[in-house]
Amino acid sequence: EDLMLLKKVVLAAALVLSAVGQAYSASVEPVTAEISAQRTPSSGLFFNGEFNFELTDELMDVLLRGITLSFVLEVEVEKKRWYWFDRDIAGASEHIRLSFNPLTRKYKLSIGGMTQSFESPAAALAMMKNVSNLYLGSYRELNPEGYSAKARFYLDTSKLPKPFQVTLRREDGWNVDSGWFPVKITRSEG
């Protein structure tokens, strides 16, 4: 009887700890994501997406200490083939860096070659969460039935300083990752 009570207590503690760990993880949820082929104003395949996530207390603490957080958005487009593996036809990997300068008390967001300063982390995150016209490859007609696309947005922990890489645990708020999710392909007009 005591053994049964002990098992119940251990099981309840494990459930509480797993719920607490999930509450502190900052998963990324795609709100919208689509790929379209455009001929004008510039020709090519472009990704547009919006993500929903917040920085955990651990990430904000690290950011306020002057450590840069590096995020990656990966997008892949494949042509479906029944006779062999799907063929990669386009893709991109966009690196996004968020940093804080304690002297100026400003947040700096770097996306590709563009850098912009913000007064608050909320303003920088608002810009980070919306990706528009990310170039994936040259123009081609995309038939949604013949192609598939997927994307992923995540915190690149390999870019953190080595002491953080050794001691970080994913359940401590460092799990900022959408995982691979399907992306809608829209048929091009014209």
Side-chain angles (χ1 to χ4, degrees):
E1 197 171 300
D2 289 334
L3 182 62
M4 192 65 148
L5 180 62
L6 181 63
K7 285 182 181 179
K8 287 181 181 178
V9 169
V10 169
L11 179 62
L15 288 173
V16 168
L17 287 175
S18 71
V20 168
Q22 290 174 356
Y24 285 110
S25 80
S27 64
V28 178
E29 298 175 14
V31 178
T32 61
E34 75 173 21
I35 293 175
S36 62
Q38 300 174 7
R39 288 191 183 174
T40 57
S42 57
S43 180
L45 298 177
F46 295 92
F47 172 82
N48 295 301
E50 181 181 347
F51 301 94
N52 185 20
F53 68 95
E54 297 300 324
L55 295 180
T56 61
D57 293 338
E58 292 86 354
L59 292 175
M60 279 304 296
D61 184 47
V62 167
L63 185 63
L64 291 175
R65 293 175 190 260
I67 295 175
T68 300
L69 298 176
S70 296
F71 297 87
V72 179
L73 170 63
E74 296 176 338
V75 183
E76 296 177 1
V77 180
E78 298 176 331
K79 181 172 178 52
K80 298 177 191 173
R81 299 192 295 191
W82 63 269
Y83 57 89
W84 199 249
F85 298 110
D86 292 346
R87 184 180 73 163
D88 294 335
I89 61 158
S93 182
E94 186 73 60
H95 296 272
I96 303 164
R97 298 179 54 199
L98 178 62
S99 60
F100 176 72
N101 186 331
L103 292 174
T104 61
R105 308 282 306 157
K106 293 200 178 207
Y107 296 85
K108 185 170 80 171
L109 183 65
S110 301
I111 302 175
M114 182 200 78
T115 301
Q116 189 171 350
S117 294
F118 297 91
E119 297 291 328
S120 70
L125 280 174
M127 178 116 178
M128 240 172 88
K129 292 177 183 181
N130 292 300
V131 178
S132 60
N133 291 331
L134 174 63
Y135 180 77
L136 301 177
S138 59
Y139 176 82
R140 63 178 63 213
E141 286 290 329
L142 290 180
N143 177 359
E145 291 81 34
Y147 294 88
S148 65
K150 60 184 179 179
R152 178 182 178 205
F153 186 92
Y154 64 96
L155 172 67
D156 188 357
T157 55
S158 69
K159 301 287 186 197
L160 292 170
K162 293 296 179 196
F164 285 100
Q165 292 180 26
V166 171
T167 60
L168 75 85
R169 294 187 340 209
R170 296 243 178 244
E171 59 271 2
D172 286 344
W174 294 90
N175 190 22
V176 179
D177 192 345
S178 68
W180 287 102
F181 61 90
V183 176
K184 178 178 146 186
I185 299 174
T186 59
R187 192 181 296 270
S188 59
E189 299 293 323

